[in-house]
Amino acid sequence: MGRIVLSVFTTLDGVIENPHEWAFGFVGEDSMQAGLDQIRAARALLLGRVTYEGFAASWPSMTDEVGYADAMNNLPKYVVSTTLTEATWNNSTIIGADAAARIEALKKEVDGDILVFGSAALVRWLLRENLLDEMRLAVYPVLAGRGARLFDDDSADPAALRLSGTQAFSSGVVLLTYEPTGEGLADPAAARRAAEANAGG
């Protein structure tokens, strides 16, 4: 059974846009190894159209000694879009109509992690559809001040997450791993009343 796993770089103030402008000053051997382990464990990529097109324009020409580029280029890729008509990057498939059903089927077909990079709109949709299994947030010690965020003010319903892992890197970057619980946030007043009732009982 496959798991859909978000992997994203974010600043302390929640910006995910243009990580090349703020992330690469915090690269270390330990974080590079974590990234390599992650891509080696993946069995497919799931991307939104904008992220897919950006990757498709750059990754095919990339090479490296450790095999990260080879993994990116050779993995099966699924791009969720109702507007994209052609996907030319190696091993690419467009998921258009009936996306939720097709992704459910994909999770049953794939044995391992299906990685989502960036793709903020796709991530918000996956959460609403209860299709996202894990969120890996690499938090950089940077305040970007401006730029697109994974969640804007009105982009998602209140939801609870469970912290399932933490890893601090030598550069100061912290990897936080969360699992959606499928539950909304508890009503504070109701929680307080329940606590008071339990204390009195």
Side-chain angles (χ1 to χ4, degrees):
M1 185 74 177
R3 300 185 316 141
I4 297 181
V5 177
L6 167 67
S7 178
V8 66
F9 293 175
T10 178
T11 63
L12 281 173
D13 53 346
V15 173
I16 64 170
E17 186 178 9
N18 297 326
H20 61 277
E21 295 181 357
W22 42 262
F24 292 111
F26 298 91
V27 175
E29 290 186 7
D30 49 0
S31 60
M32 291 178 63
Q33 185 62 51
L36 185 59
D37 291 344
Q38 174 177 255
I39 200 67
R40 285 174 173 170
R43 294 297 175 263
L45 302 180
L46 182 67
L47 305 168
R49 180 185 61 82
V50 174
T51 302
Y52 174 84
E53 290 181 330
F55 281 9
S58 57
W59 278 106
S61 62
M62 292 187 186
T63 59
D64 58 67
E65 295 181 356
V66 297
Y68 192 99
D70 284 344
M72 287 289 291
N73 286 311
N74 292 327
L75 280 171
K77 303 158 194 72
Y78 300 88
V79 53
V80 181
S81 175
T82 57
T83 58
L84 190 67
T85 58
E86 186 179 20
T88 58
W89 191 13
N90 187 42
N91 294 335
S92 294
T93 301
I94 298 174
I95 295 177
D98 300 320
R102 293 183 65 182
I103 292 172
E104 284 280 15
L106 179 64
K107 291 175 69 172
K108 294 176 182 177
E109 295 168 5
V110 174
D111 184 17
D113 290 347
I114 303 168
L115 285 181
V116 180
F117 289 118
S119 306
L122 173 61
V123 170
R124 297 193 289 262
W125 178 80
L126 290 168
L127 278 169
R128 289 195 297 270
E129 296 293 325
N130 293 317
L131 290 170
L132 190 62
D133 298 292
E134 187 172 284
M135 303 172 67
R136 298 172 185 165
L137 309 179
V139 182
Y140 282 70
V142 174
L143 298 174
R146 63 179 61 87
R149 289 169 166 78
L150 185 59
F151 300 106
D152 57 33
D153 291 342
D154 301 313
S155 65
D157 295 328
L161 305 172
R162 184 181 72 85
L163 181 67
S164 58
T166 62
Q167 184 177 4
F169 298 118
S170 58
S171 62
V173 176
V174 178
L175 180 63
L176 303 175
T177 303
Y178 292 95
E179 296 175 357
T181 65
E183 301 175 356
L185 295 180
D187 175 55
R192 184 172 59 252
R193 289 194 297 270
E196 292 171 350
N198 290 333

